[in-house]
Amino acid sequence: MIETETLFAPASGFGRAAVSVIRVSGPAAGHVLVALSGTLPPPRRLSLRTLRDPANGTELDRALVAWFPGPDTYSGEDMAELHLHGGTAVRMGVLTALARMPGCRAAGPGAFTRRAVLNGRMDLAEAEAVADLIDAETEGQRRQALRQLDGALSRQVAAWREEAIDCLAAAEAALDFADEGDVDDVGLDAALFGRADALRQDIAKALQDGRRGERLREGFFVVLAGEPNAGKSTLLNALSRRDAAIVSDMPGTTRDAIEVRLDLGGLPVFLVDTAGLRDTAEPVEAEGIRRSRARIGAADLILALVPPGGTTPDLGAYAIRTLTVHTKADLFAGSLDLSPAGAIAVSARTGAGLEALLDAIQAEAQAGLGTGDALVTRARHRAALEACVTHLDRLLAGEGALPELAAEDLRLAVRSLGEVAGHVGVEDVLDRLFSGFCIGK
């Protein structure tokens, strides 16, 4: 795909820094570099140049510049990079000069990666992996994003799609040459349905992963639940080692859920503080309790907090995902009966039991997220693969039906697989995906 506009944008963070990088991509990238620096440097080498505003010759900076001729670049186009001094005035001066140059415009979020997809440098699943890698905050998320960027999902889906296309070709042959004696019933025999069934089982097996890929991207959610003044906010602050939640002896202080992200063994874990569970006529607190129960229902793990003299909160059907935590353990006199089995006693004041609790949460997260590398990491991937399985189910259920219907089911299965990598119907997906990217990527 040929783009006529040349894009430019900062590829490094804003604010004061030692170095600021501006990326330029498009057909005029070489002209832009010559206009700013006077000459085109050797390809793929950093060269020291004095940058001047083409409009009036004003010196902008002494910078390192790099020239990357296409198509072997990130975007598949000619590209240039300007490694400037990191002051705000320097960066803005260069950006202003670029904006005045004919055929150039400031890039929007994800514009360079979007061009990489449109120019065939990567597929849509790999582009999503770029976004995941930028957003990765834990070791597990980084590893998963790198696998997807390396094409783990793309290669597997491509193999499935090739098999589906082969089956479709056989079915189409039965339609196109049905009147030929030497192709009698070709493509619609038991062998074709056997191949379709094997393909269906292979995809379905990949989907039976407990959604651990999506959960690793989104995080493992641990909700702190208990009666008012059970120590939820104090425990949240102690585990996160900062004052994330307001702590008060007044019941009903916490109204909205408060989230804190932790990195436990490379896994993203969210601790969620919630309103104390009790009957109340106060409307704002009642709404907070309703929201608390909603978060409890969606939690991966519930910490049921029991203060001295308190009772275990009534969690209903969610209790199966619960770890009982006895809070304010420093106030207990004598021995503490840790029942049910596996309960943990903690003291936010002295720090006793906090490491054991974090270890228990990490173990639950590891068990919840599963072991092994996930193939499916986004809800969009899962929806497309599930749609493919649905079309193959309909094909297999209608074995012996009209060949036209069988071919259509296979055609829809191929289309669903194509949606994963962005081979069909991707414009809306592209708009949604790249709107979440940072500018300069």
Side-chain angles (χ1 to χ4, degrees), residues 136-143 216 261-263 266-269:
E137 296 184 346
T138 70
E139 179 71 11
Q141 290 174 322
R142 181 186 65 82
R143 288 197 304 266
L216 181 57
R261 178 188 284 269
L262 300 180
D263 180 347
L267 303 176
V269 175

Side-chain angles (χ1 to χ4, degrees), residues 40-347:
L40 200 64
R44 295 175 173 81
R45 286 178 54 187
L46 286 173
S47 303
L48 181 63
R49 294 287 189 273
T50 297
L51 303 185
R52 298 184 182 276
D53 189 334
N56 52 33
T58 301
E59 183 173 340
L60 299 172
D61 192 23
R62 285 180 60 80
L64 293 174
V65 301
W67 163 240
F68 305 96
D72 295 329
T73 62
Y74 180 80
S75 64
E77 305 172 312
D78 287 348
M79 294 187 67
E81 286 187 357
L82 312 174
H83 294 237
L84 314 171
H85 289 90
T88 301
V90 173
R91 182 176 60 247
M92 291 307 301
V94 174
L95 291 174
T96 300
L98 288 169
R100 288 197 294 259
M101 299 185 71
C104 292
R105 70 171 175 88
F112 297 104
T113 305
R114 182 175 186 136
R115 287 198 174 181
V117 172
L118 296 176
N119 291 326
R121 294 294 293 171
M122 63 179 70
D123 63 28
L124 189 56
E126 291 166 339
E128 289 169 324
V130 172
D132 290 344
L133 189 57
I134 292 171
D135 292 336
E137 296 184 346
T138 70
E139 179 71 11
Q141 290 174 322
R142 181 186 65 82
R143 288 197 304 266
Q144 176 168 280
L146 284 173
R147 285 191 69 252
Q148 296 296 60
L149 184 57
D150 190 47
L153 175 64
S154 299
R155 288 191 295 272
Q156 180 59 76
V157 171
W160 287 335
R161 188 167 181 260
E162 284 299 314
E163 177 66 6
I165 289 174
D166 285 348
C167 291
L168 175 59
E172 293 283 7
L175 293 174
D176 293 341
F177 305 106
D179 56 346
E180 301 291 336
D182 58 344
V183 291
D184 214 17
D185 294 329
V186 65
L188 288 181
D189 57 12
L192 181 145
F193 288 98
R195 292 176 66 184
D197 183 49
L199 175 62
R200 186 258 179 222
Q201 291 185 40
D202 201 17
I203 298 174
K205 182 179 179 181
L207 290 171
Q208 295 170 357
D209 59 357
R211 298 178 181 269
R212 66 177 183 272
E214 296 104 303
R215 294 172 74 188
L216 181 57
R217 280 187 65 249
E218 297 163 1
F220 185 85
F221 282 82
V222 180
V223 173
L224 282 65
E227 62 188 33
N229 284 343
K232 298 182 296 298
S233 298
T234 302
L235 181 60
L236 180 83
N237 291 342
L239 292 175
S240 63
R241 295 182 174 86
R242 64 186 178 90
D243 292 334
I246 298 174
V247 176
S248 171
D249 292 333
M250 182 180 296
T253 298
T254 301
R255 303 295 180 92
D256 291 328
I258 299 173
E259 294 182 0
V260 173
R261 178 188 284 269
L262 300 180
D263 180 347
L264 297 182
L267 303 176
V269 175
F270 285 93
L271 297 181
V272 185
D273 185 18
T274 59
L277 302 177
R278 66 172 178 173
D279 294 328
T280 179
E282 203 279 313
V284 177
E285 185 182 0
E287 174 61 18
I289 292 172
R290 185 195 67 79
R291 295 185 182 187
S292 293
R293 292 199 177 276
R295 296 303 296 265
I296 289 170
D300 295 304
L301 174 67
I302 304 164
L303 300 186
L305 273 57
V306 183
T311 58
T312 303
D314 179 15
L315 302 175
Y318 309 122
I320 192 172
R321 306 194 304 273
T322 300
L323 175 63
T324 300
V325 180
H326 290 275
T327 58
K328 309 178 185 180
D330 53 296
L331 301 181
F332 283 98
S335 62
L336 178 64
D337 179 21
L338 295 182
S339 58
I344 296 175
V346 300
S347 170

Side-chain angles (χ1 to χ4, degrees), residues 380-418:
R380 187 187 69 82
H381 307 158
R382 188 171 299 276
L385 294 177
E386 287 175 344
C388 178
V389 170
T390 298
H391 296 312
L392 293 175
D393 283 339
R394 188 166 58 189
L395 167 73
L396 297 169
E399 185 172 353
L402 292 174
E404 290 86 351
L405 296 179
E408 180 63 14
D409 288 331
L410 285 168
R411 192 174 296 111
L412 292 173
V414 170
R415 180 182 180 85
S416 296
L417 291 171

Side-chain angles (χ1 to χ4, degrees), residues 350-439:
T350 66
L354 293 182
E355 288 302 321
L357 178 57
L358 286 172
D359 290 342
I361 294 173
Q362 180 177 332
E364 291 284 350
Q366 289 172 334
L369 295 175
T371 58
D373 295 320
L375 185 68
V376 181
T377 61
R378 285 179 175 249
R380 187 187 69 82
H381 307 158
R382 188 171 299 276
L385 294 177
E386 287 175 344
C388 178
V389 170
T390 298
H391 296 312
L392 293 175
D393 283 339
R394 188 166 58 189
L395 167 73
L396 297 169
E399 185 172 353
L402 292 174
E404 290 86 351
L405 296 179
E408 180 63 14
D409 288 331
L410 285 168
R411 192 174 296 111
L412 292 173
V414 170
R415 180 182 180 85
S416 296
L417 291 171
E419 290 176 357
V420 176
H423 295 301
V424 292
V426 299
E427 279 304 316
D428 290 340
V429 177
L430 288 175
D431 289 340
R432 288 195 300 272
L433 168 63
F434 294 119
S435 66
F437 270 60
C438 57
I439 292 178

